[in-house]
Amino acid sequence: MRTVLDRLGLRTNPVVFGVSAALTVLFIVVTIAFTETVASTFETASVQLLEATGWFYILGVTTFLGFLLWIAFSRYGRIRLGADDDRPQYSNPVWFGMLFAAGIGTILMFWGVAEPISHFAEPPLGDVEPRSLDAATEAMSFTLYHFGLHTWSIFGLPALGFAYMAYRRGLPMRVSSVLHPLLGDRVRGPVGWAIDTLAVLGTLFGVAVSLGLGTLQINSGLAYLTPLDEGLTVQMGLIALVTAVAVVSVALGLDRGIRRLSNLNIGLAVTLLVFVVVFGPTLLMLRGIVESTGNYLTSLPFLAFWTDALEDTGWQRNWTVFYWAWTITWAPFVGIFIARISKGRTIKEFVLGVLFLPTAFTIIWFASFGLAAIDLDLTQDGAISDAVVDDVPVSLFVFLENFPLAGIVSGLAVLIVVIFFTTSSDSASLVVDMLCSSDVDDDPPTRQRVFWAVVEGAVAATLLAIGGLEALQDVITVLGFPFFVLGLVIIWSLLRALRSEPLDPTGPRRRRRADAPDRAGQA
């Protein structure tokens, strides 16, 4: 294998790269050859897994959040992710833009209107009348629960582990490195290679699901705005387009490619948000931001532990547990990307920034788009909610049709979705290449990152071909469970590593007072 890689001019771990690439190609070939069998197998496995482990997901993700908050305010929060004199490489605004674009920017565009409206029309708890004011409150609380602190704790936990082990311990930025305190040097052998291979596969499929969802939304938007039809052929073309743009961005690298795309897209997204606020029910949205924040925080303790134990309607399995399974497959990719741009920050600064900055923007986004959509739905006798039931991806464009310059603004929305999914693809390609790398300081050839960008597009196209949205959900639910268990192991590993830190229990403030001159003695 090493000889083949050398001839191809690749510098990577031959086992992790070779096995990951081979298994991915095998999945594509088998899926194309036995489409119905593969689809039914994943569907059956997904249903059984959700029924058996739904409660475990709910408790586990809440555990992630509790651990991160505890560690931020503990004595470990003062530890710097790097040398003691290191400082952040990126300013806070640039850092946030990169966090947002590589994290859930894609999700906000897809679900910004669709999820609040879905819960408004069909209340999750079934305890309020559909399309009522109480239903609106419940819809917003569940939506923010799905995309707020819990989602970012799934990203933040592995990101903290990657950053600490890479910048504090000098280990390669790979998933296996995070488990070094537990496994020791075995992470450099077959055990570590197996862990990293699993991380590569999960990242590829997690991003492929998002590319598939983005393709469905782009196709729906273009079909809604132009004579272009919705169909598999168009969707394959769109995936090829997004993949091509991602390849160009990957070739330019982190600073010239991904960072510029991230900054551009956060600017476009904010422009769209401001447009909706200015030309929509402005006062309702401004008041809704404040009220939705309060409703979210007051309902969070209940939602964080709600498992639908008595009624067992299946709603939570189809929504919350699916979200956690999907998000957890992004954890290696987003976590490593966040870690790479976060060197020099303290653990406290890192945790609070990763948890609360994106969550604050998420609240503003959903309170604006979600509440404005609900208000329109009430005045139009359910027009938007009916559209969501019929076609979830088109919901954003049905909503924007009620604003001035609807065609131009909808075109802008399509562009934002394309760039968001491009940044997700090129960021994932960079991270997958790092997972396959042999050296933390290695600068691998561009062709390796290009290869992974193309593979992500191929997997997304395959998943769409076997069943569209349902197939995307089934596959990611099955693949997400191992990563969820890994998250709990990361907590154990991080605690063991941090306990070996030579911390002064008196803290920095007391230490400075102890070093200060004795004024009484000088008098």
Side-chain angles (χ1 to χ4, degrees):
M1 178 64 75
R2 171 59 70 183
T3 303
V4 173
L5 294 179
D6 289 341
R7 289 180 178 176
L8 293 174
L10 304 179
R11 298 197 305 273
T12 186
N13 184 307
V15 175
V16 177
F17 181 93
V19 174
S20 299
L23 289 177
T24 303
V25 172
L26 179 63
F27 170 83
I28 294 173
V29 172
V30 171
T31 300
I32 294 175
F34 306 99
T35 301
E36 294 184 2
T37 301
V38 171
S40 63
T41 299
F42 275 105
E43 181 181 5
T44 301
S46 173
V47 171
Q48 294 178 350
L49 188 64
L50 288 177
E51 289 180 352
T53 63
W55 64 271
F56 190 46
Y57 274 99
I58 302 302
L59 178 61
V61 177
T62 298
T63 301
F64 294 174
L65 177 58
F67 172 77
L68 288 174
L69 292 175
W70 169 78
I71 206 169
F73 292 100
S74 72
R75 64 192 181 102
Y76 303 120
R78 297 191 299 271
I79 297 174
R80 195 167 291 277
L81 299 173
D84 291 337
D85 58 350
D86 281 341
R87 292 298 180 268
Q89 179 181 1
Y90 300 103
S91 66
N92 287 336
V94 172
W95 185 56
F96 169 65
M98 297 173 80
L99 282 177
F100 180 77
I104 61 170
T106 53
I107 299 174
L108 297 188
M109 291 297 295
F110 190 89
W111 292 109
V113 172
E115 173 143 356
I117 283 291
S118 295
H119 302 335
F120 176 62
E122 299 177 359
L125 297 177
D127 58 343
V128 296
E129 182 181 351
R131 301 185 65 250
S132 64
L133 297 182
D134 289 336
T137 299
E138 186 173 301
M140 293 303 302
S141 295
F142 267 92
T143 299
L144 296 178
Y145 168 51
H146 286 157
F147 299 112
L149 294 172
H150 278 69
T151 284
W152 283 95
S153 69
I154 294 175
F155 295 148
L157 176 62
L160 177 59
F162 297 139
Y164 177 83
M165 294 300 172
Y167 301 135
R168 198 76 180 176
R169 299 296 181 92
L171 294 172
M173 196 172 285
R174 297 197 293 264
V175 176
S176 57
S177 297
V178 182
L179 303 183
H180 186 272
L182 301 177
L183 300 176
D185 288 341
R186 283 179 292 175
V187 300
R188 296 183 173 92
V191 174
W193 299 339
I195 293 170
D196 291 331
T197 299
L198 179 64
V200 169
L201 294 174
T203 299
L204 288 174
F205 281 87
V207 173
V209 168
S210 296
L211 288 175
L213 291 175
T215 299
L216 293 175
Q217 186 175 33
I218 295 168
N219 192 186
S220 293
L222 292 176
Y224 194 76
L225 299 171
T226 69
L228 189 68
D229 294 329
E230 287 189 67
L232 188 60
T233 301
V234 175
Q235 292 162 7
M236 297 299 106
L238 290 172
I239 288 180
L241 174 63
V242 171
T243 301
V245 177
V247 165
V248 174
S249 180
V250 162
L252 291 175
L254 178 63
D255 288 326
R256 289 192 299 162
I258 298 173
R259 187 175 71 170
R260 290 182 179 178
L261 275 178
S262 299
N263 291 341
L264 170 64
N265 220 33
I266 194 69
L268 292 176
V270 170
T271 299
L272 179 62
L273 174 64
V274 171
F275 175 84
V276 170
V277 171
V278 170
F279 290 97
T282 306
L283 184 58
L284 169 67
M285 286 185 277
L286 295 177
R287 292 163 59 187
I289 291 172
V290 177
E291 185 171 310
S292 295
T293 302
N295 290 334
Y296 167 54
L297 294 177
T298 54
S299 63
L300 188 59
F302 166 74
L303 294 179
F305 295 96
W306 177 65
T307 60
D308 197 19
L310 296 178
E311 295 189 17
D312 193 23
T313 61
W315 182 94
Q316 188 177 64
R317 293 194 295 270
N318 295 329
W319 285 91
T320 308
V321 178
F322 162 69
Y323 278 144
W324 294 168
W326 177 24
T327 306
I328 204 75
T329 59
W330 277 57
F333 142 51
V334 178
I336 288 181
F337 185 77
I338 292 174
R340 179 161 178 172
I341 63 176
S342 300
K343 183 179 181 180
R345 298 182 184 274
T346 64
I347 287 180
K348 182 176 182 179
E349 180 184 7
F350 174 89
V351 169
L352 296 184
V354 169
L355 288 181
F356 289 98
L357 284 177
T359 296
F361 189 86
T362 297
I363 292 173
I364 295 172
W365 185 276
F366 277 106
S368 300
F369 282 80
L371 288 178
I374 288 173
D375 182 63
L376 285 170
D377 196 66
L378 288 172
T379 59
Q380 296 180 5
D381 196 25
I384 296 181
S385 57
D386 290 341
V388 171
V389 171
D390 293 335
D391 186 2
V392 171
V394 82
S395 58
L396 175 63
F397 306 103
V398 174
F399 167 72
L400 292 175
E401 190 181 48
N402 296 276
F403 288 79
L405 305 174
I408 296 175
V409 177
S410 295
L412 175 64
V414 171
L415 176 62
I416 294 173
V417 173
V418 170
I419 298 178
F420 266 137
F421 282 93
T422 300
T423 55
S424 295
S425 179
D426 58 19
S427 299
S429 303
L430 175 66
V431 167
V432 168
D433 198 34
M434 293 173 65
L435 289 172
C436 296
S437 175
S438 300
D439 194 317
V440 68
D441 296 321
D442 192 27
D443 183 18
T446 300
R447 63 175 66 92
Q448 293 176 192
R449 299 193 295 274
V450 170
F451 169 78
W452 290 119
V454 173
V455 168
E456 290 158 13
V459 174
T462 303
L463 293 177
L464 280 179
I466 68 172
L469 183 58
E470 292 76 13
L472 297 174
Q473 293 176 329
D474 292 336
V475 170
I476 210 60
T477 299
V478 174
L479 295 178
F481 187 73
F483 293 95
F484 179 73
V485 176
L486 182 63
L488 297 174
V489 179
I490 288 175
I491 292 178
W492 180 18
S493 185
L494 266 176
L495 283 174
R496 175 171 289 189
L498 290 170
R499 284 170 180 166
S500 66
E501 283 281 346
L503 295 176
D504 182 349
T506 60
R509 293 184 180 179
R510 292 187 181 182
R511 191 160 57 247
R512 284 197 295 271
R513 283 200 292 267
D515 294 340
D518 186 353
R519 296 183 179 179
Q522 292 177 350

